[in-house]
Amino acid sequence: IDRAQKELLSYVIQMATKAREDVNTQTVAVSIGAAVNMLNGRVIGSAPLWGDQRCDIDFANILTTRAPEFSWRIVNDVTALAMRLLTSINPAEHSHVAALTVSSGIAYRTIELDSGNIAVDPQYGMQGEVGHLPTHAFWRGDRIDARCDCGVLNHISAFASGRAIKSL
């Protein structure tokens, strides 16, 4: 892992230790702005955080090794947002809750309320990385091209993320 990722891990442990002093917790959930394989908790990559590099990092295992006094759970930030939305609704009145974010990245999550399940791709363990879908964009009748933070040309995030809007 690179320096930025190491610093992130150190910061997370520092904050967990402080929280433990304040509320005596032993379980820590980390919400990260990155693609996370929900089948195994591994961080796959985050163009807004680390550029176009691909990664496959088992943050939970690294955190467990460095701070075994905690039980660690890694989730995507949009997954955490969808889970937070559950506290603002009456689950008996709904079948699903969903969150869509358009920020440094673009993502979407749906939670089935009957089961609590977030259906994910069985091979990659992901759901709703919609910012990386290909698209065509036009400005005043002319097609325009833009490069996504992940390095690929003409993803939705290349046109609609916060950084993309500013650069366009």
Side-chain angles (χ1 to χ4, degrees):
I1 63 176
D2 69 21
R3 180 177 169 213
Q5 294 158 349
K6 288 177 184 174
E7 288 181 13
L8 175 63
L9 289 164
S10 294
Y11 177 77
V12 167
I13 292 169
Q14 178 185 0
M15 291 297 101
T17 301
K18 183 179 180 338
R20 184 177 187 164
E21 293 167 5
D22 295 343
V23 295
N24 194 27
T25 186
Q26 293 180 341
T27 301
V28 180
V30 178
S31 165
I32 186 167
V36 176
N37 181 328
M38 291 186 55
L39 300 174
N40 60 23
R42 297 178 75 93
V43 176
I44 305 302
S46 175
L49 287 176
W50 302 309
D52 63 0
Q53 76 178 33
R54 303 261 317 144
C55 62
D56 183 5
I57 304 170
D58 191 346
F59 273 8
N61 187 48
I62 295 168
L63 289 165
T64 298
T65 300
R66 292 186 184 178
E69 65 273 22
F70 297 107
S71 172
W72 297 94
R73 173 82 169 131
I74 310 297
V75 297
N76 172 274
D77 58 345
V78 183
T79 301
L81 173 61
M83 294 168 80
R84 168 61 177 91
L85 291 173
L86 291 173
T87 65
S88 65
I89 66 164
N90 178 352
E93 296 175 0
H94 304 278
S95 61
H96 295 77
V97 66
L100 171 70
T101 183
V102 178
S103 56
S104 59
I106 302 171
Y108 178 81
R109 295 292 180 281
T110 302
I111 300 174
E112 299 168 2
L113 296 181
D114 287 344
S115 65
N117 186 42
I118 298 174
V120 296
D121 176 272
Q123 181 176 358
Y124 300 106
M126 298 195 317
Q127 179 202 87
E129 301 302 328
V130 296
H132 296 287
L133 294 174
T135 190
H136 300 291
F138 296 86
W139 175 251
R140 297 184 176 166
D142 295 323
R143 182 173 167 167
I144 58 173
D145 294 314
R147 191 159 306 279
C148 181
D149 284 340
C150 75
V152 175
L153 201 60
N154 297 333
H155 279 170
I156 290 172
S157 285
F159 301 100
S161 71
R163 206 176 344 217
I165 290 170
K166 184 177 178 181
S167 70
L168 287 174

